[in-house]
């Protein structure tokens, strides 16, 4: 009886140990399943393909890989989801635009997942892999171009100007500052949204906060996870795959010899002996005769052709991510759409005249070059965007005239203008009238700005707007003063 009880007790102990081991295995499987759920099905398929192609599996840090993928998914499910929600509350073009933005982030999420399980591709292959992301960015910007007369044009512009931040995957060695730069590029339009809507509808204020938070979280994610550039699987301490074998019929490369830096002691002694000869070191130099001197023989001055660096083909440049696209000629536009006058893509046209405008009308001039616009009567405001060598003559304005992304532009007001705003513009001449001496001029990221004030004899006094500033720390604040040019 005692032997049977002892045997039964031994079996119970073994069974209990077996159950404990099964519980441990089950816990590990649950953790693994939870981690795998962070990857999308396409990404897992890509990982399987990459591992099956390479007989030498790459040793990667799975925790870092999961953090990179999970971090981007948290960005989509958090700040981006809130931005889409706020856009849907506004509706219309804003909601449609947000759907395109959401698609772009999802495409980049797949790209990040793909990078987490394969080696860094070559440049030509990377261009192809980034094709879907580039297409989504272009769709977002084209939507803005097609809806310039939209009530929410500033909303569309705020996103379109900053969405190139998704190009961070091509930036090395510091992609995070690039995201900050793109976020700043859209700040002009987010400020306009706040200015136009903060007193009318608070939903638009929340919309601005949601979009800026999305960009801020993207900046934080990239700075923490991809500090020096997009992290590929092979760069996480893994072992690189072996080099391919030589092609048939090609000889193997010769063995590398001894590359040690230890020189022979006798050679070194001989070298220093020659250096220490003093004046005798020049006895073996050849004398330069008059026939060998170039200042006496001009024919000797002809040398080889100057070096010309190798240039990259234009087609390759245009296919690179983030490369500027060749300019497309668009048909000129001169029309009235409700309260907005649209003057677009005018080239070499100096006879543009707007007559019969009302005080609540807005004049929008975009993409014009070497043209002149005359606005007769009093209108609410005039807006010049991406114009070059363009002039505007206005009678009077209720609100303001604004220049954004312009080059070599001029304006003249015959009556009253309360405010002039200049942003990212190089070269702006402002001719004022006697009624506009109290004008407020707000400038940012601009250069070569001059204000011309009329004199009694009909001439103008030209005064430059400061571009350089000096800032001092004063107590708990800062004191900034313009630096006058001494040239």
């Amino acid at each position: 009886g005692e032997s049977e009880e002892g045997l039964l007790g031994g079996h119970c102990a073994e069974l209990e140990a077996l159950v404990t081991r099964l519980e441990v295995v089950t816990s590990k499987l649950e953790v693994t399943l939870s981690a795998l759920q962070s990857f999308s099905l396409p990404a897992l398929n890509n990982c399987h393909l990459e591992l099956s192609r390479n007989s030498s599996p790459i040793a990667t840090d799975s925790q870092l890989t999961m953090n990179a993928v999970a971090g981007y998914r948290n960005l989509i499910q958090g700040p981006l989801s809130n931005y889409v929600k706020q856009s849907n509350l506004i509706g219309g073009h804003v909601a449609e635009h947000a759907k395109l933005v959401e698609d772009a982030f999802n495409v980049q999420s797949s790209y990040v997942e793909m990078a987490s399980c394969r080696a860094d591709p070559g440049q030509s292959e990377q261009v192809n892999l980034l094709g879907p992301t580039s297409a989504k960015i272009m769709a977002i910007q084209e939507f803005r171009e097609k809806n310039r007369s939209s009530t929410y044009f500033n909303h569309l512009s705020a996103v379109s100007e900053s969405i190139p931040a998704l190009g961070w995957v091509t930036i090395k060695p510091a992609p995070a500052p690039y995201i900050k730069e793109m976020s700043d590029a859209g700040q002009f339009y987010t400020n306009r949204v706040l200015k136009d809507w903060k007193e009318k509808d608070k939903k638009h204020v929340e919309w601005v906060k949601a979009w800026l938070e999305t960009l801020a979280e993207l900046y934080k994610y990239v700075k923490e996870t991809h500090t020096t550039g997009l992290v590929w699987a092979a760069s996480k301490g893994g072992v690189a795959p072996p080099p391919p074998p030589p092609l048939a019929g090609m000889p193997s490369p010769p063995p590398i010899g001894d590359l040690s830096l230890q020189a022979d002691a006798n050679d070194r002694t001989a070298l220093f002996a020659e250096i220490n000869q003093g004046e005798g070191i020049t006895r073996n130099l050849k004398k330069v005769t008059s026939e060998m001197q170039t200042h006496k023989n001009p024919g000797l001055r002809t040398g080889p052709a100057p070096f010309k660096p190798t240039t990259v083909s234009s087609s390759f440049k245009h296919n690179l991510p983030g490369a500027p696209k060749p300019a497309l000629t668009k048909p000129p536009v001169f029309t009235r759409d409700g309260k907005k006058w649209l003057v677009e893509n005018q080239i070499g046209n100096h006879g543009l005249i707007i007559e019969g405008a009302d005080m609540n009308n807005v004049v929008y001039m975009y993409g014009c070059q070497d043209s002149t616009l005359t606005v007769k009567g009093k209108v609410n405001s005039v807006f010049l965007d991406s114009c070059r060598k363009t002039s505007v003559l206005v009678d009077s304005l209720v609100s303001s005239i604004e220049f954004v992304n312009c080059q070599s532009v001029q304006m003249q007001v015959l009556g009253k203008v309360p405010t002039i705003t200049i942003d990212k513009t190089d070269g702006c001449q402002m001719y004022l009238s006697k009624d506009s001496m109290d004008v407020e001029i707000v400038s940012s990221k601009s250069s070569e700005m001059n204000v011309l004030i009329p004199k009694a004899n009909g001439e103008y006094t030209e005064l430059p707007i400061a571009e350089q500033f000096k800032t001092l720390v004063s107590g708990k604040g800062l004191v900034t003063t313009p630096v006058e040019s001494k040239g």
Side-chain angles (χ1 to χ4, degrees):
E2 293 180 0
S3 61
E4 292 180 357
E5 290 180 0
L7 182 61
L8 181 60
H11 284 306
C12 289
E14 291 178 1
L15 182 61
E16 184 177 355
L18 180 61
V19 170
T20 302
R21 291 178 61 190
L22 286 174
E23 289 177 349
V24 172
V25 172
T26 302
S27 299
K28 291 183 177 180
L29 287 174
E30 290 175 349
V31 172
T32 303
L33 179 61
S34 176
L36 288 175
Q37 288 175 348
S38 299
F39 294 86
S40 65
L41 185 58
L44 289 174
N45 291 336
N46 290 337
C47 287
H48 178 73
L49 279 173
E50 291 300 325
L51 291 177
S52 64
R53 289 173 183 170
N54 188 0
S55 59
S56 299
I58 297 174
T60 61
D61 188 340
S62 59
Q63 187 61 43
L64 288 176
T65 300
M66 291 183 206
N67 287 344
V69 175
Y72 202 95
R73 287 193 162 272
N74 291 337
L75 171 68
I76 293 178
Q77 296 170 2
L80 181 68
S81 177
N82 183 39
Y83 156 73
V84 174
K85 175 183 176 182
Q86 298 299 329
S87 299
N88 291 333
L89 291 177
I90 296 175
H93 289 146
V94 176
E96 296 178 43
H97 209 215
K99 181 63 173 65
L100 297 177
V101 174
E102 185 179 25
D103 292 343
F105 272 83
N106 285 328
V107 168
Q108 184 161 94
S109 177
S110 299
Y111 187 82
V112 172
E113 291 173 1
M114 180 267 297
S116 68
C117 55
R118 64 159 292 171
D120 190 352
Q123 193 173 45
S124 58
E125 184 182 359
Q126 189 178 22
V127 172
N128 295 329
L129 293 174
L130 286 170
T133 304
S134 300
K136 294 297 181 182
I137 293 176
M138 290 181 61
I140 292 169
Q141 296 177 331
E142 289 175 356
F143 186 87
R144 187 267 297 264
E145 297 299 324
K146 294 177 182 178
N147 296 279
R148 286 190 165 274
S149 60
S150 172
T151 306
Y152 306 123
F153 174 73
N154 288 326
H155 298 67
L156 306 182
S157 297
V159 175
S160 297
E161 291 291 329
S162 51
I163 196 62
L166 294 184
W168 67 267
V169 293
T170 66
I171 305 299
K172 292 181 180 180
Y178 174 77
I179 298 175
K180 180 66 168 59
E181 182 181 346
M182 292 300 101
S183 178
D184 292 342
Q187 186 176 4
F188 174 80
Y189 292 101
T190 54
N191 289 342
R192 288 185 63 86
V193 173
L194 294 175
K195 177 183 176 183
D196 295 342
W197 294 93
K198 66 180 179 181
E199 302 297 335
K200 301 178 184 178
D201 193 342
K202 295 297 182 182
K203 291 197 298 286
H204 298 266
V205 177
E206 296 301 320
W207 179 89
V208 170
K209 291 180 180 178
W211 176 241
L212 294 180
E213 182 185 4
T214 301
L215 295 175
E217 289 299 318
L218 177 62
Y219 171 84
K220 181 179 178 182
Y221 161 76
V222 172
K223 185 177 182 181
E224 293 178 355
T225 311
H226 307 277
T227 307
T228 59
L230 178 64
V231 178
W232 297 83
S235 62
K236 291 182 178 138
V239 179
L247 298 176
M250 294 292 290
S252 301
I256 300 176
D258 185 10
L259 299 180
S260 63
L261 299 178
Q262 295 180 354
D264 185 80
N266 295 331
D267 292 342
R268 185 177 301 176
T269 303
L271 173 63
F272 282 105
E274 288 191 24
I275 295 175
N276 293 327
Q277 291 180 67
E279 296 181 358
I281 196 173
T282 62
R283 69 177 181 269
N284 293 325
L285 296 179
K286 294 182 180 180
K287 183 178 180 181
V288 180
T289 63
S290 58
E291 292 80 7
M292 302 168 63
Q293 296 174 0
T294 57
H295 67 281
K296 295 183 179 180
N297 296 276
L300 299 177
R301 299 175 189 172
T302 304
F307 170 75
K308 294 182 179 179
T310 303
T311 57
V312 182
S313 65
S314 59
S315 59
F316 180 74
K317 286 182 179 179
H318 293 152
N319 288 328
L320 288 177
K325 303 297 180 183
L328 299 178
T329 303
K330 297 182 179 180
V333 176
F334 188 85
T335 184
R336 179 174 182 174
D337 184 7
K339 298 179 181 180
K340 181 179 290 188
W341 294 79
L342 302 176
V343 184
E344 301 179 357
N345 309 316
Q346 300 285 343
I347 299 178
N349 193 344
H350 297 279
L352 300 170
I353 301 176
I354 293 179
E355 294 182 301
D358 300 324
M359 290 180 60
N360 61 352
N361 287 181
V362 175
V363 178
Y364 182 79
M365 199 172 185
Y366 172 79
C368 297
Q369 180 176 339
D370 191 24
S371 299
T372 302
L373 173 66
T374 302
V375 182
K376 296 185 177 181
K378 191 173 186 178
V379 297
N380 183 276
S381 60
V382 177
F383 190 94
L384 275 75
D385 185 1
S386 304
C387 294
R388 184 169 178 264
K389 294 183 179 179
T390 299
S391 302
V392 178
L393 174 64
V394 297
D395 285 348
S396 291
L397 296 171
V398 176
S399 178
S400 64
I401 181 170
E402 303 183 27
F403 300 91
V404 179
N405 294 321
C406 294
Q407 293 181 352
S408 303
V409 290
Q410 295 184 4
M411 65 144 288
Q412 182 174 3
V413 59
L414 303 179
K416 178 75 172 179
V417 55
T419 306
I420 301 175
T421 303
I422 310 170
D423 182 60
K424 290 181 285 188
T425 294
D426 297 321
C428 184
Q429 301 284 104
M430 293 159 278
Y431 291 83
L432 302 181
S433 66
K434 294 180 180 179
D435 297 331
S436 299
M437 291 296 98
D438 57 346
V439 64
E440 292 183 358
I441 301 175
V442 180
S443 61
S444 61
K445 298 181 180 179
S446 300
S447 63
E448 301 178 25
M449 301 169 288
N450 296 291
V451 179
L452 293 99
I453 300 175
K455 297 191 295 185
N457 60 0
E459 299 294 330
Y460 285 87
T461 300
E462 184 174 357
L463 301 174
I465 295 179
E467 302 175 22
Q468 188 176 11
F469 301 90
K470 177 177 65 176
T471 300
L472 301 175
V473 179
S474 176
K476 296 182 179 180
L478 301 176
V479 177
T480 301
T481 56
V483 177
E484 296 183 2
S485 176
K486 298 180 180 180

